[in-house]
Amino acid sequence: MNIPILLPQPRQLETLGGEFTLPDSGIILVTASDPQVVRFTAVSLKEQLGEGWQINVGSVRVAGETAVSLNLILNSQKHAQGYELTVTTNGISIVAETAAGLFYGVQTLKQLFKNSRLLPTLRIQDWPDFPNRGVMLDISRDKVPTMETLFTLIDQLASWKVNQFQLYTEHTFAFRQHPVVWADASPITGEEILAIDAYCRERFIELVPNQNTFGHMRRWLVHDEYNHLSECPDGCDTIWGYFDEPFTLDPSEPGSIELVRSMLDELVPHFTSLQFNVGCDETIDLGQGRSAEIVKERGAGRVYLDFLMRIYREVKRHGRTMQFWGDILVNHPELVSELPRDVVALEWGYEAGHDFDKRSAIFAKAGIPFYVCPGTSSWNTIAGRTDNSLGNLKNAAENGLKHGAVGYLITDWGDNGHWQPAPVSSVGFAYGAAVSWGYDANVELDIKTAVSEHAFCNNDHVLGELAYELGNAFKNVGIQSFNGTILFYTMQATEEVIRNHLKHEDESIADRLDETKAAIDQIMDPLKTAYIHREDADLVKREFQWAANMLKHACDRILWVFNGNPPDEKASLVTAVDALIAEHQLIWHTRNRPGGFRESVARMEKMKEIYD
């Protein structure tokens, strides 16, 4: 019989030629010196097996009783997180060295009988390539998920053997000493962090605090209380154009490190993780303002490193290991060797062709532990960039393994209003989880089927195909963009910018836009009859339909500009935007807190200005 698609696929699977049917009742036998460490794992297995099953500790069995045995045995595996799963005609056994390994074995077993209780007899030996396999979710670009949304995502990631989770924070933690920063943002509270941390720990996931502390400080520095700490209080030039607001802390101002100290003192104690991600990426205005003299004298790299080391000492004061984004220092390789060896550099890049090879080698050569950090390519897209995402995730895993990366962190950002619906990120999360667990076994994974089965509980495999293809639909337009899609950027661009994109286009652009819309309709057609075995099935369908409608409106918008702004089409375009805004509001408030919605929807309201 056929083995179902697993996520991730195990590295070694041998079929034994027989079959075994899981009955409606039986015994889950736990063998462990401390059974409490595997209690949650056993209970979660029982929930899927059914109420006819019981949990007992020890090896005592009644004659004729079917057993699934969970065995925690010291020195039984090649890898601390590894497990061995055996299905015979008499029962099922999982052996692991650690409670985490046993949990991972149970996740594989649950996937094996997800759709059928008739199992092939087999033996699986499995362990991960990367010891740390994480997901980072941006909660600072308008969207702060509800607790229910976070718990649902954590459950899904845990079932795919992800063991680290980060919530990227700029201003969305409820700092009691700094209430002006998070006012109206619906932030995560300290009490909620405690709950999320506990929820993660049960599922063998480390909740790593993630708080930017150098660049990306606009949400703090725009306020009068903190503006004096800005490198450029009134704005700065950036690689993305001129910003008319402050962006980076002034490292020469004593109050800057005092602010960082205050942030860590309040935030760190809520987490049981012994790591802390301090961010410190994209300090693009460093040296343009108040630190100009010391940067001129000492160099931007040295000034950056000195302030990073001051943050490092604050992190060490709390007994934590500092993680930091490595994009600044990797461009100053002569300084990388000065880093202490108890930090973790995060090497990130989000295009399929990002040079993980060369940049990872810089940290590896200096003996600095590092993660590779690709992304889902969901942001600045509405519906994703599937081919880019898979290429980026594969590239990171391949070169991370080549250079000895200790971790793999999948990032999911929310730039420019966080418009992409949550399900859009599923393809990237799933493929990244797979290749970070076992690259060789999963690099050619049937991702469409895997996502259908294990992200959307969709046995007719419509949703995996739809998510995959909708994420590539933008390519039909034939206009390339960096870190996003032309269809997304068009929705937020002025008429002048759109015309600039079109300056080299001829009449064929109209045909390509029509073909794009037709392709989107064809991709979406099977959604009508797709069966999704999830409580939020109707919402998932609405989210994908909204994304498709947004992409089609972008096509109409481009064509309207290309055709010289026909006035008779204005009313229908405005009506379409109003409908998209109304649906965006419903979708947003179902999964996310209210804070941030006003800022996100303001970008959509601005879409109508071009038609006026």
Side-chain angles (χ1 to χ4, degrees):
M1 63 184 297
N2 293 329
I3 305 293
I5 292 289
L6 302 173
L7 181 63
Q9 291 283 100
R11 68 174 63 234
Q12 295 177 11
L13 189 155
E14 174 191 5
T15 57
L16 303 178
E19 295 179 347
F20 172 70
T21 300
L22 271 166
D24 293 332
S25 62
I27 187 76
I28 299 171
L29 288 175
V30 175
T31 302
S33 58
D34 180 4
Q36 287 295 332
V37 300
V38 297
R39 179 182 177 276
F40 177 82
T41 299
V43 170
S44 68
L45 177 58
K46 175 182 173 178
E47 288 175 353
Q48 189 160 326
L49 286 169
E51 287 302 317
W53 285 74
Q54 298 180 355
I55 301 171
N56 269 42
V57 177
S59 57
V60 176
R61 295 173 60 179
V62 176
E65 189 174 51
T66 298
V68 175
S69 60
L70 308 180
N71 307 286
L72 203 55
I73 301 174
L74 191 64
N75 299 323
S76 63
Q77 301 299 308
K78 297 178 181 179
H79 190 285
Q81 297 179 43
Y83 66 92
E84 183 173 330
L85 167 61
T86 306
V87 180
T88 70
T89 55
N90 297 317
I92 299 172
S93 171
I94 302 176
V95 178
E97 179 175 333
T98 63
L102 206 56
F103 179 80
Y104 300 141
V106 166
Q107 303 318 300
T108 300
L109 175 59
K110 289 163 72 174
Q111 290 185 11
L112 281 169
F113 71 86
K114 184 176 184 179
N115 297 320
S116 174
R117 296 179 86 93
L118 178 62
L119 306 179
T121 56
L122 52 76
R123 179 174 294 109
I124 290 173
Q125 289 185 302
D126 201 14
W127 62 91
D129 280 336
F130 291 91
N132 301 291
R133 304 168 303 282
V135 162
M136 188 224 75
L137 184 68
D138 184 353
I139 64 166
S140 289
R141 270 43 174 261
D142 301 338
K143 271 184 184 174
V144 181
T146 64
M147 293 292 279
E148 180 182 2
T149 298
L150 288 172
F151 290 155
T152 299
L153 176 60
I154 290 165
D155 280 333
Q156 186 176 76
L157 297 176
S159 73
W160 301 343
K161 303 179 176 67
V162 168
N163 68 350
Q164 198 173 100
F165 190 50
Q166 302 191 17
L167 297 170
Y168 172 76
T169 308
E170 292 176 5
H171 67 298
T172 48
F173 175 75
F175 289 99
R176 299 181 67 233
Q177 300 176 83
H178 309 285
V180 68
V181 173
W182 50 262
D184 302 321
S186 301
I188 302 282
T189 67
E191 183 176 347
E192 287 173 326
I193 289 293
L194 292 175
I196 297 168
D197 193 291
Y199 198 85
C200 284
R201 288 186 66 179
E202 283 188 321
R203 292 151 182 82
F204 298 94
I205 291 176
E206 179 185 6
L207 181 68
V208 177
N210 182 324
Q211 171 67 55
N212 228 326
T213 56
F214 197 175
H216 287 280
M217 291 292 289
R218 178 183 70 85
R219 294 283 193 166
W220 293 72
L221 301 177
V222 293
H223 298 287
D224 292 342
E225 295 90 330
Y226 310 101
N227 187 257
H228 66 287
L229 304 177
S230 308
E231 171 70 18
C232 296
D234 300 316
C236 57
D237 288 315
T238 78
I239 57 175
W240 314 291
Y242 186 78
F243 277 14
D244 59 1
E245 293 178 316
F247 193 80
T248 298
L249 285 176
D250 170 14
S252 66
E253 163 60 54
S256 292
I257 196 64
E258 293 173 7
L259 175 61
V260 173
R261 182 180 303 121
S262 168
M263 294 159 70
L264 266 64
D265 284 350
E266 191 166 344
L267 185 59
V268 169
H270 292 89
F271 295 81
T272 56
S273 171
L274 295 181
Q275 302 191 79
F276 194 101
N277 184 348
V278 298
C280 299
D281 59 317
E282 296 184 320
T283 52
I284 35 79
D285 53 332
L286 183 63
Q288 289 188 36
R290 289 171 166 162
S291 70
E293 285 301 316
I294 62 167
V295 166
K296 182 178 180 180
E297 175 186 342
R298 307 179 64 207
R302 174 62 62 189
V303 172
Y304 174 90
L305 178 59
D306 286 351
F307 193 68
L308 181 69
M309 292 308 300
R310 297 182 73 182
I311 297 173
Y312 162 80
R313 288 188 284 273
E314 294 300 325
V315 175
K316 291 297 292 181
R317 186 169 60 84
H318 287 279
R320 265 54 173 191
T321 296
M322 184 180 80
Q323 296 183 357
F324 72 101
W325 301 114
D327 57 305
I328 304 299
L329 282 184
V330 79
N331 291 314
H332 298 276
E334 73 283 359
L335 298 178
V336 171
S337 61
E338 296 186 27
L339 287 166
R341 298 308 185 263
D342 61 346
V343 300
V344 177
L346 304 174
E347 168 50 38
W348 62 269
Y350 306 132
E351 296 302 308
H354 179 73
D355 201 349
F356 280 111
D357 187 5
K358 179 180 178 180
R359 295 164 73 92
S360 296
I362 293 171
F363 293 113
K365 182 180 179 180
I368 304 300
F370 71 97
Y371 288 14
V372 284
C373 307
T376 61
S377 300
S378 63
W379 59 97
N380 294 336
T381 68
I382 302 169
R385 292 190 291 157
T386 304
D387 286 349
N388 184 80
S389 174
L390 300 183
N392 182 229
L393 293 158
K394 175 184 175 182
N395 175 10
E398 178 182 350
N399 285 292
L401 290 172
K402 176 181 177 180
H403 294 287
V406 299
Y408 183 102
L409 184 66
I410 309 162
T411 60
D412 192 59
W413 297 98
D415 299 30
N416 297 307
H418 213 144
W419 281 1
Q420 74 273 21
V424 166
S425 302
S426 297
V427 172
F429 285 156
Y431 188 71
V435 294
S436 63
W437 175 267
Y439 178 81
D440 290 339
N442 290 278
V443 66
E444 300 298 334
L445 177 69
D446 179 357
I447 191 63
K448 296 178 183 178
T449 299
V451 168
S452 288
E453 292 274 356
H454 302 298
F456 297 120
C457 303
N458 169 230
N459 296 344
D460 59 14
H461 300 162
V462 167
L463 266 293
E465 176 85 17
L466 184 152
Y468 187 102
E469 297 298 341
L470 193 64
N472 278 332
F474 74 96
K475 298 172 76 173
N476 291 289
V477 180
I479 301 175
Q480 298 300 312
S481 296
F482 179 78
N483 197 36
T485 70
I486 184 62
L487 296 181
F488 176 88
Y489 289 129
T490 294
M491 301 287 260
Q492 299 196 357
T494 63
E495 180 179 345
E496 180 184 0
V497 171
I498 296 173
R499 289 197 180 281
N500 188 54
H501 281 299
L502 297 172
K503 63 184 177 183
H504 299 301
E505 299 296 329
D506 56 26
E507 294 295 330
S508 68
I509 185 65
D511 292 334
R512 282 181 273 135
L513 290 168
D514 286 341
E515 289 167 5
T516 300
K517 291 172 63 179
I520 291 169
D521 285 338
Q522 185 175 3
I523 291 166
M524 296 301 296
D525 188 61
L527 185 65
K528 303 169 189 171
T529 57
Y531 178 71
I532 306 173
H533 189 60
R534 281 176 41 157
E535 292 183 1
D536 61 351
D538 290 340
L539 177 60
V540 169
K541 289 185 176 183
R542 293 185 75 159
E543 287 170 316
F544 276 119
Q545 190 60 62
W546 178 83
N549 292 341
M550 285 281 283
L551 296 180
K552 291 197 294 181
H553 183 78
C555 293
D556 292 337
R557 185 178 176 89
I558 294 172
L559 190 58
W560 184 74
V561 172
F562 184 79
N563 287 337
N565 308 9
D568 60 330
E569 296 177 14
K570 285 185 178 182
S572 62
L573 290 168
V574 170
T575 298
V577 174
D578 287 338
L580 290 167
I581 289 174
E583 189 69 355
H584 179 54
Q585 180 172 1
L586 182 147
I587 290 168
W588 180 290
H589 291 299
T590 305
R591 294 200 193 277
N592 305 287
R593 305 170 192 222
F597 175 74
R598 180 180 55 81
E599 294 182 45
S600 179
V601 81
R603 295 174 180 269
M604 298 188 73
E605 293 283 359
K606 197 172 180 63
M607 286 162 51
K608 293 192 291 187
E609 292 181 6
I610 192 174
Y611 306 131
D612 295 334

